[in-house]
Amino acid sequence: MTLLRTFRAGPPPLKVILLPDGVFFTRTITIAQGSTALDVNAQVELALETLSPFPPAQLYHGFYWPPGAEFALVFAAYRRRFTNEQLEGWESAELVMPTFAALLGGDIRSETTLIIPSAEGLTALYFAQSPVPTKVVFRAMQPDAIDADWTRAREQLATAVPTNRAVVVNAPPVAIAAPNDREIAFQAEAFTSRLPLTVSAALDVRDKDALAGLRRARNRDLALWRGFLALVALLFLLAAGEFLLLAAAGWSRTRLTQITAQRPVVERIMLAQSVTTRINELSTKRLLPFEMILQVMGPKPESVTFLRASTVGLYGLNVEAESTSPAAPSAYQAALSALPAVEKVEVRDQRARDNLLTFTLAVTFRPEIIKPGTPQ
Amino acid sequence: MSALKRFFLSRLLREKLMLVLFVALVAIVWLVNFSSRTSRSWLEYRTTRNELAQQKQWLASRESIENSAVQAVKNLDPAQTLDDTRLVGELQTLARDLNLKFLNDAPQTERTANFAVHTVQVTIPRGEWEVLYNFYVAVARRSPYIGITQFSLAADRSNRQLLNASLRISSVEIVR
């Protein structure tokens, strides 16, 4: 039932850990035209080495760069600012990034200020030109701050760039179920943000080596998933095949019934054919055994004695004979072959015993050559 | 599908492997069983198809076979045709006239609605060549009502001057 409930509930949102914005310092850097994602990665690493007082290895960092954008927003935090308790759960998370980064995939026009609240304070994203913010400002709030303090802080952040249109959300972003597997979605009140996986991967601030390991594991899991899907598809195909087999069995039964119903009629026709053939043979094709034996006896050498003669079909005669002369069978075969009525002669089963050679002559006569006569 | 994917991906690696192995095992067992049944079904299909095609051919040639049968007996006088009893009786008479011993098996009959062909296996032991020949001529005279369909002649072991003849003889009977 738990499994069923899981499926009924639909896909759950991905596990995303949103970190406090206050621990991150942010910079917008210019990206060389025509840069690939790999180039941007190198440019960000270089910028971090220049901008940060700490080496990149001691930072949790990420960046936001939609493909083709002129700028990238780089954010980084000193690793020691995170306690072990805060690091718990990072391994199993799909994505770990600053809270403000969740809303970077929203529909934000140029010259807009987006103000996002969190438990620690307010974060303002200033967009001079969409889609990469020019500046990110965090205003920390006291735990005992009242609504008026929050309102005042919002106004101050909004008026910091007076030309911008301010968009204020009153709730921090939360991950929601994305419409497809290629995106991660967030919502803050009515404001929604959809980040493609290709972009969100760069937002992840975790250690890059660990991240690569996680990606490898994810690829392995995806391969297993695809294998699983292929097998399930095979099961569906087999199920469809079962239906086809069932239909074929029904059809076959109909055909067998038809065959059974027709069989007596067909057997009667076959019998009629067989009987007709027999009658025709009796009337028109007579077996002439004596005439054939007499033909064979004509050139018989004196040394050859017949033991048995039997007809084979209408025009064949097998003669079993014996002779005291070893040369007799071949000489006899040659003599028989010369007869005009004989089509073919074969000598078979030659056996010698006590100076006596036994053999079989298989003689085939030409059809209709021998006529019924008085061969006395 | 997304829910299933999430469910699958959220399992532990060993659970994923077990799921895949289990489904693979089911698929293999089913596939093997299915292919053997498919092959049987295909064989049955081919057999019934061939049999139906043959039956169709026979049914299509029914009229021509019936016409051939009518043609085959057109020149036969129904009064001279022989049933199995008359066939054996006739052969016994011919043999008795020539002082030949005569042994016969039970006649076999192929019968249609209008005609019958009776066949009997006859053995004539220890006959002389001329006498056997005369028997043969006497049978041949009854053609086409009686015909020899198989003939065999062997020298007698005790006296090579005598011959043992074995004949399969058929007769036509017009039933009506």
Side-chain angles (χ1 to χ4, degrees), chain A residues 6-66:
Chain A
T6 307
F7 289 139
R8 277 188 171 169
L14 293 174
K15 187 184 173 187
V16 177
I17 295 177
L18 296 176
L19 304 171
D21 293 339
V23 295
F24 286 92
F25 73 88
T26 60
R27 291 288 185 280
T28 300
I29 63 166
T30 308
I31 299 297
Q33 252 189 344
S35 297
T36 62
L38 212 60
D39 299 335
V40 174
N41 209 37
Q43 288 174 54
V44 167
E45 293 272 342
L46 196 65
L48 275 174
E49 278 174 16
T50 319
L51 297 168
S52 165
F54 305 105
Q58 292 184 25
L59 298 172
Y60 288 127
H61 64 90
F63 63 91
Y64 176 64
W65 179 74

Side-chain angles (χ1 to χ4, degrees), chain A residues 51-136:
Chain A
L51 297 168
S52 165
F54 305 105
Q58 292 184 25
L59 298 172
Y60 288 127
H61 64 90
F63 63 91
Y64 176 64
W65 179 74
E70 285 177 49
F71 303 99
L73 176 70
V74 183
F75 42 87
Y78 185 45
R79 288 193 180 193
R80 291 197 179 169
R81 297 195 68 177
F82 294 93
T83 61
N84 285 340
E85 288 76 27
Q86 281 177 308
L87 293 174
E88 268 175 23
W90 280 30
E91 218 171 88
S92 60
E94 196 72 25
L95 191 60
V96 179
M97 62 183 181
T99 305
F100 70 81
L103 296 183
L104 288 171
D107 183 19
I108 304 166
R109 283 177 286 176
S110 300
E111 297 181 345
T112 299
T113 301
L114 177 64
I115 300 171
I116 310 158
S118 63
E120 299 81 21
L122 290 164
T123 307
L125 306 180
Y126 297 96
F127 292 87
Q129 199 180 342
S130 183
V132 181
T134 330
K135 194 166 77 172
V136 177

